[in-house]
Amino acid sequence: MKKIEAIVRPERLTETIKGLKNIGITGFTVSQVVGRGKQKDTQGVYRGKNYNVTLHPKVKLEIVLSDYMVERTIKTIVASAQTGEDGDGKIYVYPILEAYNIRTGETDFDIDDLVNKEG
């Protein structure tokens, strides 16, 4: 099992979710976050005064899935979220050792089709 964290532009979220659903990924968590990378500062105006925006709004998707789905999921996220500009985001992949269903307290083997239906 792996966990994918994808930080993307908020305006690309709908397209990214559509791409994930097209490959059968229906379970994920979405959080609004702010961050800083190579994207340049921008200027904002609040009550008539200018200020620098140094932390940019982003969206973080968290997906836990089977190892065999990782590469396909990453390709889908990149294709859906990419604009070619600084600030498109990042994707991180982490190993997941165990998962539990809170309702039953049992080990959860059914998170996002963890059973490899392809083999």
Side-chain angles (χ1 to χ4, degrees):
M1 263 191 294
K2 297 285 193 283
K3 177 182 180 183
I4 294 177
E5 286 186 1
I7 312 295
V8 302
R9 294 173 180 266
E11 63 269 21
R12 301 303 299 163
L13 178 61
T14 301
E15 190 67 25
T16 303
I17 290 173
K18 186 189 302 183
L20 291 171
K21 286 183 178 178
N22 285 341
I23 64 167
I25 303 292
T26 57
F28 46 82
T29 301
V30 177
S31 306
Q32 293 182 349
V33 296
V34 293
R36 173 108 189 133
K38 292 183 181 178
Q39 192 174 358
K40 296 184 178 10
D41 293 351
T42 58
Q43 291 288 315
V45 178
Y46 180 71
R47 295 187 176 182
K49 295 192 179 198
N50 290 337
Y51 67 96
N52 282 336
V53 177
T54 58
L55 295 175
H56 303 282
K58 301 291 179 190
V59 177
K60 178 168 67 168
L61 288 107
E62 298 176 83
I63 309 161
V64 176
L65 40 66
S66 297
D67 290 348
Y68 79 95
M69 286 294 293
V70 171
E71 186 176 339
R72 186 174 181 192
T73 303
I74 291 170
K75 287 180 181 180
T76 299
I77 293 169
V78 169
S80 301
Q82 188 177 64
T83 69
E85 302 290 326
D86 285 345
D88 274 353
K90 298 281 186 192
I91 298 173
Y92 304 101
V93 180
Y94 305 95
I96 298 294
L97 302 178
E98 298 177 4
Y100 294 89
N101 183 311
I102 292 175
R103 181 179 55 84
T104 65
E106 297 176 354
T107 302
D108 193 343
F109 295 106
D110 295 323
I111 294 176
D112 281 85
D113 269 339
L114 291 178
V115 179
N116 184 346
K117 294 181 180 178
E118 295 177 358

